[in-house]
Amino acid sequence: MTTPSRVPQVSQQELYRYLEDRFACAQACAECSRACAVRASLVDPGDGTPEELVRRKGVICAEVCDATSRVLSEDSQTDEATVRAQVEWCRQVCAEAAHAFDGHPGAERTAEVCRACARACTDFLGTLTPSAP
């Protein structure tokens, strides 16, 4: 009878960190999606004002975060390059949305949630193997 080989402790720690960061990123994306959707719903569409830009950024951020959260939450066979591209896109969109929300009364919390999501994306990307140049 053979015993299964043990995974080295370092690999297990890396796997746990990866899963924890993946979950944290998915949770941050879900929270950001909700905050952006709520914020965007407070602005009338199509009025051509700077608030319209904030609304559009909020809608886009909500959609990208929702998609990213689904990708990270599902136990799918998605390859790492696809996950990396989705998370990098989410990080960029969240940073842009946070910048758009800055300075708009009542949007401070949404801006901070977007920044937190961008940070979670950055942290998660750090657990992935470096992409080839």
Side-chain angles (χ1 to χ4, degrees):
M1 175 179 239
T2 61
T3 59
S5 62
R6 301 197 67 138
V7 176
Q9 187 66 24
V10 172
S11 294
Q12 284 180 338
Q13 289 173 347
E14 289 173 356
L15 175 63
Y16 293 147
R17 178 173 175 226
Y18 168 83
L19 294 173
E20 288 171 353
D21 287 349
R22 181 177 177 137
F23 178 74
C25 186
Q27 289 296 103
C29 288
E31 183 178 355
C32 188
S33 176
R34 285 189 298 273
C36 287
V38 167
R39 185 70 195 154
S41 71
L42 298 176
V43 178
D44 291 328
D47 62 1
T49 65
E51 286 76 24
E52 172 63 12
L53 172 65
V54 172
R55 188 191 74 76
R56 283 194 316 255
K57 290 284 186 180
V59 169
I60 291 167
C61 190
E63 290 174 356
V64 171
C65 284
D66 185 52
T68 304
S69 180
R70 281 193 314 267
V71 166
L72 294 174
S73 298
E74 294 172 356
D75 187 23
S76 66
Q77 299 299 322
T78 306
D79 64 285
E80 189 172 296
T82 301
V83 170
R84 176 182 293 284
Q86 181 71 38
V87 174
E88 285 178 348
W89 183 34
C90 186
R91 176 178 63 178
Q92 179 183 3
V93 168
C94 287
E96 290 173 5
H99 183 68
F101 290 132
D102 285 336
H104 289 275
E108 296 85 4
R109 167 139 167 57
T110 305
E112 184 50 40
V113 170
C114 289
R115 274 191 275 288
C117 186
R119 284 190 301 271
C121 288
T122 299
D123 292 345
F124 175 64
L125 287 167
T127 66
L128 299 176
T129 56
S131 61

